[in-house]
């Protein structure tokens, strides 16, 4: 194969008025999955892609990668059941701080809540979801740091230490919930 389409999603909402650049409805997601299946696409994991790159596996004739950023609770409510129905897999990128917050709060509002660590464990146990790291607390565009970017005036060693500490923390949490360290960073 020479092409690999990658589709990236964020939030899924049953509320039509919430639709936007980063929000689709369950019906829209299902239409995407149905179109992929009807057009001969088969989902692949990053591990499968890496094995293929090393010459240790084959890819389907029409591979596609599905990715869901931020691990919003709507993934569990809408995407995972559809992945199961359509026999597909996806990468789910977890922000550790969001999972910590929603584990502690127990907030389950599908309009805005993120997955708890128990949800992450459930997604991983489904066999359809590859859990990726999306940082512990370096995801926001405001605050002391703009995402994973180096701060103005920050030296390389200080930046590397901050980034490595952040990633170590989220990777330990993912391993505790999902049973394995993440293979992918988003």
């Amino acid at each position: 194969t020479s092409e690999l389409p990658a589709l990236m999603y964020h939030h899924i909402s049953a509320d039509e008025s919430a639709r936007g650049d980063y929000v689709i409805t369950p019906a829209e997601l299902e239409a995407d999955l149905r179109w992929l299946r009807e057009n001969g696409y088969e989902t692949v994991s990053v591990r499968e892609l890496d094995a293929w790159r090393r010459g240790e596996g084959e890819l389907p004739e029409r591979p596609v990668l599905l990715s869901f950023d931020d691990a919003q609770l709507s993934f569990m409510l809408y995407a995972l059941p559809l992945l199961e129905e359509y026999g597909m897999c996806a990468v789910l990128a977890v922000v550790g701080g969001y999972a910590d917050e929603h584990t502690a709060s127990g907030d389950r509002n599908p309009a805005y809540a993120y997955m708890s660590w128990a949800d992450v464990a459930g997604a991983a146990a489904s066999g359809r979801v590859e859990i990726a790291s999306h940082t512990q607390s370096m995801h926001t565009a405001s605050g002391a740091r703009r995402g994973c970017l180096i701060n103005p005036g920050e030296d390389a060693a200080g930046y590397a230490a901050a980034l490595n500490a952040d990633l170590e923390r989220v990777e330990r949490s993912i391993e505790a919930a999902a049973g394995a360290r993440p293979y992918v960073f988003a």
Side-chain angles (χ1 to χ4, degrees), residues 44-61:
V44 295
S45 71
V46 175
R47 286 184 188 273
E48 289 172 309
L49 289 173
D50 194 39
W52 172 78
R53 183 191 57 80
R54 292 188 318 267
E56 298 172 4
E58 295 294 322
L59 292 180
E61 185 176 324

Side-chain angles (χ1 to χ4, degrees), residues 7-26 28-29 32 67-75 78-79 110-114 134 139 141 146:
L7 304 177
M8 191 250 319
Y9 299 94
H10 279 87
H11 183 49
I12 306 155
S13 176
D15 177 2
E16 288 278 341
S17 68
R19 291 178 66 230
D21 290 343
Y22 297 99
V23 181
I24 64 169
T25 66
E28 288 172 309
L29 178 60
D32 287 355
S67 173
F68 291 82
D69 271 7
D70 304 338
Q72 292 187 272
L73 182 59
S74 62
F75 175 86
Y78 304 114
Y112 58 79
Y114 291 88
H134 206 28
H139 186 61
R146 185 167 167 77

